[in-house]
Amino acid sequence: MLTFSIAQWQGWAQGIDTPTDWLQWAEHPYCPLADQCAPRLDFLPPMQRRRLSSLARAVFACAWPLAAEGAGMPLVFASRHGETTRNFGLLQSLAADEPLSPTAFGLSVHNAIAAQWSIIRRETTESIALSVEDDGLEHAFIEGAMLFAQGHEDVLVVLAEERPPAPYAPWIDDVPYTYATAFHLRPGTEWTLAMAASPDGTPPDAAQPWPNPLNLLRHLTLKTPAWTHQNHARRWTWTRTA
């Protein structure tokens, strides 16, 4: 069982980025159907913004306010699908027998966003990139809590997914829209996270139209005292203790 505190959190989805927006969404969840427009990121110079993908922009939009001008803290970045748009572009180039762009390839790998964060912010502390399943939220928090044992008092945990290109629709059905979430974790006892094996024959949680990281934002906003998240192998219990 893990114990930790969530000092701050921030989320970004199309049309949902302020505390008021998230409260309205938490009370009446919906799937944003508007055209996906990446965050502007006016706090970055144009040259740096141009190198960031839509997914990276969503990450920076919600993570930057938590980091602000404070001391650098380790970053745990987790995503299940990563840069699907960049990767699809590379596959199209291969199919057309066109040469691959070294820049596009370098920015398509799973840890590229964590590297861009380190470069742009000039962070020298460690960063971790996780390729996760549908309970990636819980595994990212485990990774963050493990950094406390190394003496870190502050850890930034970020989870993000982008709506994939249309040809991926038959295989990727868990990302209805692009989103990113960021959590500033500290050692503490405000929260506990416990895991147990899912009982044999117990089906996963019923499908919901929003991803699990956004479900955490919903419970944080509504101040839910406890809830569970279950997949085919694991059952996670979140409990607010303070």
Side-chain angles (χ1 to χ4, degrees):
M1 182 174 68
L2 296 179
T3 62
F4 53 88
S5 293
I6 301 175
Q8 294 176 288
W9 62 266
Q10 185 80 24
W12 184 90
Q14 187 64 49
I16 315 172
D17 53 7
T18 69
T20 300
D21 293 336
W22 284 110
L23 176 59
Q24 293 175 346
W25 180 86
E27 294 174 339
H28 306 285
Y30 64 92
C31 177
L33 298 177
D35 292 338
Q36 298 287 296
C37 298
R40 288 179 52 85
L41 306 186
D42 291 332
F43 53 82
L44 292 180
M47 184 66 73
Q48 292 178 338
R49 292 200 301 265
R50 280 196 290 270
R51 293 178 63 87
L52 298 178
S53 66
S54 295
L55 181 63
R57 284 173 174 248
V59 168
F60 274 67
C62 65
W64 197 274
L66 303 191
E69 300 302 324
M73 52 182 161
L75 168 69
V76 177
F77 170 73
S79 180
R80 186 173 191 176
H81 305 291
E83 294 274 12
T84 52
T85 299
R86 286 193 189 275
N87 284 311
F88 185 61
L90 293 171
L91 292 174
Q92 287 179 307
S93 295
L94 287 173
D97 290 326
E98 298 174 350
L100 296 182
S101 162
T103 299
F105 178 80
L107 294 176
S108 72
V109 298
H110 205 73
N111 65 339
I113 291 177
Q116 288 176 296
W117 176 265
S118 298
I119 292 170
I120 291 176
R121 288 191 57 84
R122 299 182 180 179
E123 298 279 11
T124 57
T125 187
E126 60 257 60
S127 62
I128 300 165
L130 301 178
S131 178
V132 295
E133 291 191 332
D134 56 343
D135 55 355
L137 169 68
E138 288 82 5
H139 283 93
F141 270 60
I142 290 174
E143 196 73 35
M146 290 174 63
L147 290 168
F148 298 151
Q150 298 182 17
H152 296 287
E153 294 293 321
D154 300 271
V155 176
L156 183 60
V157 174
V158 179
L159 296 102
E161 302 288 352
E162 68 172 335
R163 186 173 64 179
Y168 286 126
W171 299 278
I172 300 178
D173 60 1
D174 60 329
V175 188
Y177 46 89
T178 301
Y179 70 87
T181 57
F183 306 92
H184 177 185
L185 302 188
R186 285 178 174 164
T189 58
E190 178 187 4
W191 291 92
T192 63
L193 176 60
M195 186 201 76
S198 293
D200 292 341
T202 301
D205 291 342
Q208 59 187 14
W210 54 87
N212 193 36
L214 298 187
N215 200 40
L216 174 54
L217 295 194
R218 183 168 183 263
H219 288 303
L220 290 174
T221 302
L222 297 178
K223 302 187 186 305
T224 308
W227 69 92
T228 62
H229 173 234
Q230 179 175 306
N231 65 7
H232 65 283
R234 295 171 289 275
R235 180 181 179 87
W236 301 91
T237 300
W238 296 76
T239 306
R240 185 191 298 266
T241 59

